[in-house]
Structures are given as C-alpha cells and as structure tokens.
Amino acid sequence: MIFNNSQAFLTYLYALPKTHEKADLTYIKQVLNLLGNPQNQVKTIHVTGTNGKGSTSYYLSNLLQKAGQKTGLFVSPYVFEFGERIQINGQYISESELLRIANRVEQVLAQLRQDNASFSLVTFEYEVVLAFIYFAQAKCDYAVIEVGIGGQHDKTNVIVPEVSIITTVGLDHEALIGPTIQDIAREKSGIIKHQRPVILGNVPNEVLPLIKQKALVEAAPLYQLGVDFDVNLATAAVYTDQKRQVTLSPRPLVECYDLAVAIKAFSLLQIPLADNQIELALDQTVIPGRYQIIQNNPLVVLDGAHNIQAMQNLLHFVHQQQQRRQGKVRILIMLMRDKDLTPIFSLFEENDEVHITTIDYPRAANKDDFPQQIKNKYPYEADWQIAFEQLRQKSQPNDILLVTGSFYLVGNILQWEQKYENKRHK
C-alpha cells in the first residue's frame, strides 16, 4: 500500500488492531530490526507515570531545546492534530515526512508478510516506529519518549535510555496493567535499565520498596523527589538540589513535581545551561490540555484528567482558586465508557454544578452508559458545544468553568476556540 495523503494514512492507521494476542515486543522489534534499529541511533529519555508524564516530557523537551540540543518529542494522546505526537524542536512532523516514513514502514511490513501473511503492527506500535525513524533520520541529539500505558510491555520499551523517569503511580488502566497499585508499579518499573539512572517523582510510599528493589537489581542509580531533590510552592515554585536552586512562576503543586523531575533529569545529562535559562525554558512551556487557562473572567480551565489521581489533584487546584475568587464552580465532564465511571463523581463537592456531555468518538460514554444515580443527579447534554457555551454564558466573572475527563473533549474545545478566534480576527 502507498499513501498519498495523510487522511488516507490515518484512516488506515486507526483501523489497525489495538492489541496482539501476546502483550510482548516481538512484533515491533522485528520491524525495527529490518529498519536498522533507529531507536538506538538517538539518545533517549524514557518517561512513564500514571499522571504527569506528558507535562514532564514537554518540560524536559524545552530544557533540551534551550540548551541547543536538537530534540525529538513523542507524546500521546494529541490534542490538536496527529502531528503533535511526533515533534522536533516543537515543530510537528509534516504531512510529507509522515507519508514518506509510513511508506517506508509499509515496505518492511510487506517484506515480513512474505513469511507470515497475517503479520501486522497495532496502531500504537506503528506510531512508535514512525517516531523512531523520524528522530534518527533527522539526527536528533535527544528524544524524549513518553510511554503509552505502563512500562515493561509498552511498545516504547525497546530503548536503553540515558535516564528513566517514573513521575507517579496510581490506579488507571487496571484491566491492562493492574488490578492492584503494586501490579501497576511493577509494570512501570519495567523501564528501569541496567546502570541507567532512574528518577522518581511523587510516588506513593506503598510501592516505593518495589521500585527501589528493581533499581537495585539493575544497579540503576535512583534519585527521589523529596530526598535527592525537592520543590516548594509558596509565592513561587522553588526547585532545589545539592547543586542548584531555581525559582519559577507559581503553578499547581502537581505541575511543580513534574518540572522538578524534568530539571533533575536534565541535570543528570550534564548539558550546560544557566539557571536563568532553565527558568525561562520552563516558564515558557505550554502543555496542551493540562491546567490550560483559556479565559480569566470567568476562569475557564481545560484539563484532560481522566483518572482518580489526576482528578483529585485538578479539583484541589480548582477549589483553591474558588476560595480566592469566591465564585461558583461549574464542571463539564466527558468520560470514556471503558473507565469505571462512578468513582470520579464521588470527588465533586456538593456545591459544584456538574454537567455531563459526550463527543463523536467510539469509546466516548453517552447517557445510557452512566449508572442511574448519576443520571438522576447530573444533567446530560449530548452536544458538547451547546453544553460548553451555556455554562460559559451563565458564569459570572468570578466563577470557574472546568472542562475535564478526556483530552478528546479538551482538544475539541481548543480547536473550536481557535476557529472562533480566527473568524473574529478576519
């Protein structure tokens, strides 16, 4: 198959299987091997964690760029467009490069099908392969690689990184890598490699021994937030370790943890960069769909939080803002039907005005997917545009409107807002 436009390729990509019979790396390794193992041609940093891995990846990528390093970035999911997943120095992969590399992958797949007619990559494997080829051919100095799900069996786990990062561990994707938090920690610790340093963010005490044991077995030097480096949030976010102190503009505490982990990882690479340049790189970092404020009066916050841990952190931030502003909190939420839908609703405060919506996406939960007690308590509007605009219109300048539950909903609203802005300025 030869792809002539990105729409044809993306249609093909999303029609691929989502899983193999065995959750191992044999399929992707065969393809990478025939391509000359591009994943070994660029220095990498591997980032996993139940939450915070995307933010940490963006912070670290910007630090590397500020230090003059040609930097690849692989993240998921995307908020605006597919090319966002595969970037070099903040520039999305172009359509021509995407098609050129995809057609090269198709040649290799055709070769493998000569021996095994049913050979296929799953969607995420294909995306990972595209990224590694792109970064290697562009001769990146470094590539920051965000894990999809888990670690040990994740399709990105074909690299020996300069540094491994575990931002945090919590309950999410229990059906795939759980069911317990220990199972999830064990899976995430699979990115720890022999004699390569590992950095731990805000990891729960109950799973620390398990991760530390893995680091010990691999003789991997371990650096832990709160022990080997720290961040404090008062009037500003202040990072400290034995060698440096960096002061940054204030932000939610969980984002402070992420930037602290990024600074520590960057420090271990021993690339020269002055503290004021570190501050500039991090303060200039915009992370799509994560604590993203698109309006101030009322305060409109977009965040793709989609699990208990992320939602707890997000609501803590929102209710802190509410205390300062003395306004009403309104929440527009959309969730995936394959999530456990009930627990997240237990996190909302009684005075929060919560509305449920959906989007045109196969996994998106619609009204029938919610338990009866939730349908009875919270209003549902199937059209997210109507729901969002109604909530924004009724919000007073000191109120807060939070959009959350899925990066797909957040992405839809960001794209819609962008189109509106473009029309307004014409």
Side-chain angles (χ1 to χ4, degrees), residues 79-367:
V79 174
F80 285 107
E81 60 183 82
F82 177 83
E84 191 180 317
R85 301 197 65 169
I86 304 171
Q87 310 177 24
I88 295 177
N89 285 356
Q91 298 296 308
Y92 301 170
I93 187 171
S94 67
E95 180 178 34
S96 60
E97 282 294 287
L98 180 64
L99 295 177
R100 183 182 65 78
I101 295 169
N103 287 324
R104 175 71 185 108
V105 175
E106 285 300 301
Q107 291 174 349
V108 169
L109 291 174
Q111 194 176 336
L112 286 162
R113 288 185 189 121
Q114 290 175 2
D115 296 322
N116 178 0
S118 63
F119 187 93
S120 176
L121 291 177
V122 300
T123 299
F124 188 65
E125 282 176 322
Y126 208 119
E127 293 164 342
V128 172
V129 170
L130 292 173
F132 285 139
I133 298 171
Y134 186 49
F135 299 151
Q137 291 184 349
K139 294 183 167 54
C140 287
D141 298 304
Y142 287 90
V144 181
I145 307 296
E146 181 190 351
V147 161
I149 295 173
Q152 177 71 42
H153 298 96
D154 188 75
K155 308 308 180 183
T156 61
N157 199 29
V158 290
I159 51 178
V160 181
E162 304 302 302
V163 181
S164 300
I165 294 171
I166 303 174
T167 58
T168 187
V169 178
L171 290 174
D172 196 14
H173 303 293
E174 295 97 319
L176 291 173
I177 57 173
T180 70
I181 195 169
Q182 287 77 17
D183 294 322
I184 292 169
R186 196 171 292 109
E187 173 67 20
K188 292 187 186 304
S189 70
I191 71 164
I192 299 173
K193 298 298 192 306
H194 186 61
Q195 293 185 341
R196 299 299 172 105
V198 57
I199 299 173
L200 305 186
N202 187 31
V203 172
N205 288 330
E206 62 193 297
V207 296
L208 271 175
L210 190 155
I211 296 172
K212 287 181 174 180
Q213 179 59 30
K214 172 69 172 176
L216 192 65
V217 168
E218 296 294 346
L222 186 143
Y223 301 87
Q224 184 183 343
L225 177 68
V227 178
D228 304 288
F229 62 102
D230 212 345
V231 66
N232 294 293
L233 183 61
T235 54
V238 181
Y239 168 90
T240 52
D241 63 23
Q242 288 182 328
K243 294 183 179 177
R244 65 173 16 127
Q245 178 171 310
V246 181
T247 303
L248 299 137
S249 59
R251 62 201 74 209
L253 184 58
V254 287
E255 286 292 306
C256 293
Y257 295 153
D258 298 338
L259 66 84
V261 167
I263 295 172
K264 187 61 184 175
F266 178 78
S267 300
L268 292 179
L269 299 173
Q270 298 186 321
I271 301 168
L273 189 64
D275 286 355
N276 68 322
Q277 293 298 297
I278 288 176
E279 292 164 15
L280 201 59
L282 295 173
D283 280 339
Q284 289 174 341
T285 302
V286 176
I287 302 158
R290 293 173 177 93
Y291 290 89
Q292 190 166 354
I293 294 171
I294 62 167
Q295 189 175 326
N296 281 301
N297 299 300
L299 186 69
V300 180
V301 183
L302 310 182
D303 190 281
H306 56 272
N307 57 52
I308 291 286
Q309 188 183 50
M311 191 66 74
Q312 283 173 326
N313 292 330
L314 176 61
L315 291 173
H316 178 71
F317 166 74
V318 165
H319 290 122
Q320 273 187 328
Q321 297 300 313
Q322 181 191 22
Q323 287 178 359
R324 293 192 185 116
R325 299 171 73 98
Q326 292 295 303
K328 176 84 174 170
V329 171
R330 293 182 176 86
I331 299 168
L332 181 63
I333 187 167
M334 183 225 112
L335 294 164
M336 294 300 176
R337 64 161 57 96
D338 50 17
K339 297 279 181 186
D340 187 354
L341 299 175
T342 306
I344 279 181
F345 287 88
S346 69
L347 302 176
F348 300 129
E349 293 189 358
E350 203 56 45
N351 292 327
D352 293 342
E353 185 183 326
V354 180
H355 293 251
I356 305 169
T357 191
T358 192
I359 61 169
D360 182 17
Y361 184 73
R363 286 176 52 216
N366 56 42
K367 190 171 185 177

Side-chain angles (χ1 to χ4, degrees), residues 357-426:
T357 191
T358 192
I359 61 169
D360 182 17
Y361 184 73
R363 286 176 52 216
N366 56 42
K367 190 171 185 177
D368 292 340
D369 295 309
F370 289 93
Q372 192 61 47
Q373 71 268 24
I374 289 174
K375 288 190 282 189
N376 291 343
K377 187 171 182 180
Y378 303 110
Y380 176 90
E381 168 56 64
D383 188 319
W384 61 266
Q385 292 178 334
I386 291 173
F388 177 66
E389 268 310 307
Q390 285 179 343
L391 290 173
R392 178 152 64 176
Q393 291 303 321
K394 73 192 289 192
S395 294
Q396 299 301 307
N398 63 329
D399 290 344
I400 300 170
L401 171 54
L402 170 64
V403 178
T404 189
S406 165
F407 281 109
Y408 293 97
L409 174 62
V410 166
N412 279 6
I413 286 177
L414 283 170
Q415 289 178 39
W416 190 44
E417 288 285 296
Q418 198 172 59
K419 284 177 189 171
Y420 173 76
E421 279 298 305
N422 290 343
K423 282 180 185 173
R424 205 160 61 86
H425 291 300
K426 278 184 179 175

